[in-house]
Amino acid sequence: QVQLVESGGGLVQPGGSLRLSCAASGNIFIINTMGWYRQAPGKERELVATITRGGSTNYADSVKGRFTISRDNIKNTVALQMNSLKPEDTAVYYCNARVLNSDFRNLEIWGQGTLATVSS
């Protein structure tokens, strides 16, 4: 079993910052791409940012210049630093990881989600 556990959501005013963290644990051989997705009320889940094991990043246009994704390959963690937050960033944020487990099976794992609310 592989699990992702997120933390760091909460309520923040427009223009503020939040940092989301996600830790992977379990039957892991190697973690390839990790990422963050979000789902706002009444909308479909969308990509926010991804990062490869080598550190290459990809961002949604809506968050470029405001959000930064990073990871620690030793600790099997990924973080999302969110600055200059806007009300439209309000969503449940989900951590995602593509994992090769110790049985050499490729798995796509999702966290349980953490709510970030941007409101005055």
Side-chain angles (χ1 to χ4, degrees):
Q1 289 279 36
V2 178
Q3 290 185 322
L4 298 176
V5 177
E6 300 124 331
S7 60
L11 173 65
V12 65
Q13 292 186 340
S17 297
L18 282 174
R19 183 177 178 84
L20 307 182
S21 298
C22 173
S25 62
N27 191 20
I28 297 169
F29 180 72
I30 196 169
I31 302 178
N32 295 308
T33 299
M34 302 186 81
W36 290 93
Y37 293 72
R38 67 186 181 186
Q39 187 166 17
K43 295 188 176 181
E44 294 188 352
R45 191 174 297 188
E46 63 177 2
L47 180 146
V48 176
T50 61
I51 184 167
T52 67
R53 185 168 182 82
S56 296
T57 57
N58 178 52
Y59 294 93
D61 288 343
S62 59
V63 307
K64 282 180 181 176
R66 301 188 297 123
F67 291 10
T68 302
I69 190 170
S70 60
R71 66 186 285 175
D72 184 324
N73 291 333
I74 302 299
K75 296 180 179 179
N76 287 337
T77 58
V78 63
L80 185 69
Q81 178 66 41
M82 305 188 295
N83 297 330
S84 302
L85 283 161
K86 305 175 181 179
E88 52 263 42
D89 294 318
T90 294
V92 177
Y93 285 73
Y94 295 92
C95 179
N96 173 274
R98 309 227 169 171
V99 174
L100 183 67
N101 72 4
S102 56
D103 296 324
F104 299 104
R105 293 177 61 195
N106 284 303
L107 305 173
E108 182 173 22
I109 308 298
W110 292 91
Q112 80 284 358
T114 185
L115 176 63
T117 303
V118 185
S119 175
S120 55

